Amino acid sequence: MAYQLNEDLVLWLTEHALDLDQHSNQAQQILPRLAAANLLGLGIAPELGGAPNTTLQDAAWAVAEVAKHSLSAAFVLWAQRCFSTYLVLHPEAALSSSLISQAIAGEIAGATGLSNAIKFTGGIEGLQIQATPTAGGWVLNGYLPWVSNLVPGQFEVMVAAERPDLPPAIFVLSHADVGLTRNDDLALHCIQGSNTASIRIENCFIPTERLIAEDAAEFIRQVRPQFLTLQSALSTGVSLRCLEQVLAHKRATATTRATALDYQQRITAIQNQLCAGAVSGQFLNAPAKLFALRIELAKLCQDASLLELQTEGGACFLLGLRDQTQRRVREALFLPMVSPSISQLQAV
């Protein structure tokens, strides 16, 4: 189920794909362009400011469609949409209502800092942030080594924190909070335009109204299906673009075309299965099935990128001749390491 992107957005992504892959100079342009293309409210109820007559499937396929052109831009869309998903769980909160409308408009950059929490609930690692109660709120300390969509001077980030004698909780931190430091962008081999950096939290006071959920484990259980469904769409988009390139290639053999068509069918079916399962609730108490589908898509993405590489042939190894193919191969190799990584999901 393809989603039709705005032509202006497609042209801009096509022009800047390599730049977004390797540099940060266009990074601040991504979010406003996604907002102008009306992608940030897909699948969110109209009464919350979302796009009417759209579903999670529309949101996931929009992520995939953007990923066909630029994984950096798709990462921004994924992070922004996940951040809105977290807020939608508690729309009655004044903070959530305000932030949802700003996130959909692209006025704030929503950073999903919950990969650590998702790994924590899976028993993979401990929480990296601690919260200590104080008058009127909490004091947070900790470090997250890898967070995307940290647009300088504009981001809000969702984190999970340990609390003494209480369950871990979910908090929203803001770029302007005293004690929150956004470090320089990570030097990445791809997605350099996604405003991905580490954050350090030192004696950062967070008022009570920015505690979004009292029970982090239950919160993660609720958001995990949409989080991973939207994340899987990154692999879906990159792989489908690789296969489009293969099928359009004049030297593709009959065997190669048959393989590409088989991959297309399998990838589309898995993404639709993820969307359906996330909406129906079947993954809430069956995360293993969700993880297995995410793993399968990442593997198919690598297979699809190698099929494109093989079809293009030796030109891919001559500088300047097949830069976009090389970019997609890098993206496909990177996606299994996106947190929670494929090896971590396999372990769970």
Side-chain angles (χ1 to χ4, degrees), residues 115-125 220 224 291 344 347-348:
S115 292
N116 169 232
I118 288 177
K119 288 184 283 187
F120 168 75
T121 58
I124 298 171
E125 68 180 24
I220 293 300
R224 185 169 50 199
F291 297 166
Q344 290 165 341
V348 174

Side-chain angles (χ1 to χ4, degrees), residues 294-327:
R294 160 86 170 94
I295 291 167
E296 187 174 359
L297 268 181
K299 289 180 176 178
L300 282 168
C301 186
Q302 290 194 338
D303 291 341
S305 72
L306 290 177
L307 191 64
E308 180 186 356
L309 185 72
Q310 292 161 5
T311 303
E312 293 289 357
C316 293
F317 297 92
L318 295 173
L319 290 176
L321 290 188
R322 297 292 185 273
D323 289 345
Q324 302 292 357
T325 296
Q326 292 172 354
R327 173 177 61 82

Side-chain angles (χ1 to χ4, degrees), residues 270-286:
I270 292 169
Q271 186 63 60
N272 285 334
Q273 187 177 353
L274 281 164
C275 291
V279 171
S280 70
Q282 76 172 91
F283 296 137
L284 287 175
N285 297 310

Side-chain angles (χ1 to χ4, degrees), residues 17-311:
L18 289 173
D19 209 23
L20 294 171
D21 179 72
Q22 295 291 303
H23 305 287
S24 301
N25 55 318
Q26 297 290 337
Q28 319 311 31
Q29 293 292 318
I30 297 175
L31 192 58
R33 288 183 179 276
L34 296 175
N38 300 313
L39 300 183
L40 304 182
L42 294 174
I44 296 175
E47 56 267 29
L48 298 176
N53 304 313
T54 61
T55 65
L56 174 67
Q57 191 171 42
D58 294 310
W61 280 104
V63 171
E65 200 66 29
V66 172
K68 284 185 179 183
H69 305 283
S70 165
L71 186 61
S72 284
F75 245 81
V76 170
L77 179 55
W78 164 70
Q80 190 81 359
R81 184 57 179 77
C82 281
F83 184 82
S84 295
T85 296
Y86 305 153
L87 297 172
V88 166
L89 278 182
H90 295 276
E92 73 285 351
L95 177 66
S96 293
S97 178
S98 171
L99 290 180
I100 287 173
S101 62
Q102 293 178 70
I104 290 173
E107 296 168 357
I108 60 169
T112 171
L114 296 185
S115 292
N116 169 232
I118 288 177
K119 288 184 283 187
F120 168 75
T121 58
I124 298 171
E125 68 180 24
L127 288 179
Q128 297 171 345
I129 299 173
Q130 293 74 45
T132 304
T134 190
W138 301 81
V139 174
L140 271 61
N141 285 277
Y143 175 75
L144 292 178
W146 188 297
V147 185
S148 295
N149 205 27
L150 294 173
V151 178
Q154 191 181 349
F155 70 84
E156 308 279 325
V157 57
M158 200 84 69
V159 303
E162 292 269 23
R163 298 185 294 171
D165 303 318
L166 288 169
I170 304 294
F171 296 86
V172 178
L173 281 62
S174 176
H175 63 92
D177 289 335
V178 176
L180 174 61
T181 301
R182 180 209 191 274
N183 296 315
D184 292 339
D185 285 356
L186 298 173
L188 300 169
H189 285 296
C190 64
I191 72 161
Q192 188 61 49
S194 62
N195 279 302
T196 298
S198 61
I199 57 173
R200 187 168 297 280
I201 305 161
E202 297 177 304
N203 296 321
C204 182
F205 172 73
I206 299 300
T208 302
E209 59 265 25
R210 286 206 267 143
L211 192 162
I212 291 294
E214 289 278 359
D215 186 343
E218 177 58 21
F219 183 88
I220 293 300
R221 189 182 79 88
Q222 293 287 334
V223 303
R224 185 169 50 199
Q226 289 197 41
F227 177 99
L228 286 174
T229 293
L230 293 166
Q231 189 182 73
S232 295
L234 300 168
S235 294
T236 295
V238 173
S239 57
L240 289 180
R241 182 54 183 269
C242 291
L243 298 173
E244 288 172 2
Q245 295 297 116
V246 170
L247 292 170
H249 202 289
K250 61 183 179 182
R251 292 199 307 272
T253 66
T255 300
T256 298
R257 290 179 182 278
T259 300
L261 290 170
D262 176 60
Y263 286 170
Q264 269 189 339
Q265 185 177 29
R266 289 164 61 188
I267 290 163
T268 301
I270 292 169
Q271 186 63 60
N272 285 334
Q273 187 177 353
L274 281 164
C275 291
V279 171
S280 70
Q282 76 172 91
F283 296 137
L284 287 175
N285 297 310
K289 178 62 174 177
L290 175 66
F291 297 166
L293 292 172
R294 160 86 170 94
I295 291 167
E296 187 174 359
L297 268 181
K299 289 180 176 178
L300 282 168
C301 186
Q302 290 194 338
D303 291 341
S305 72
L306 290 177
L307 191 64
E308 180 186 356
L309 185 72
Q310 292 161 5
T311 303

Side-chain angles (χ1 to χ4, degrees), residues 5-14 30 33-34 37 39 66 69 73:
L5 294 181
N6 178 295
E7 184 178 353
D8 289 341
L9 178 62
V10 171
L11 290 173
W12 187 83
L13 292 173
T14 300
I30 297 175
R33 288 183 179 276
L34 296 175
L39 300 183
V66 172
H69 305 283

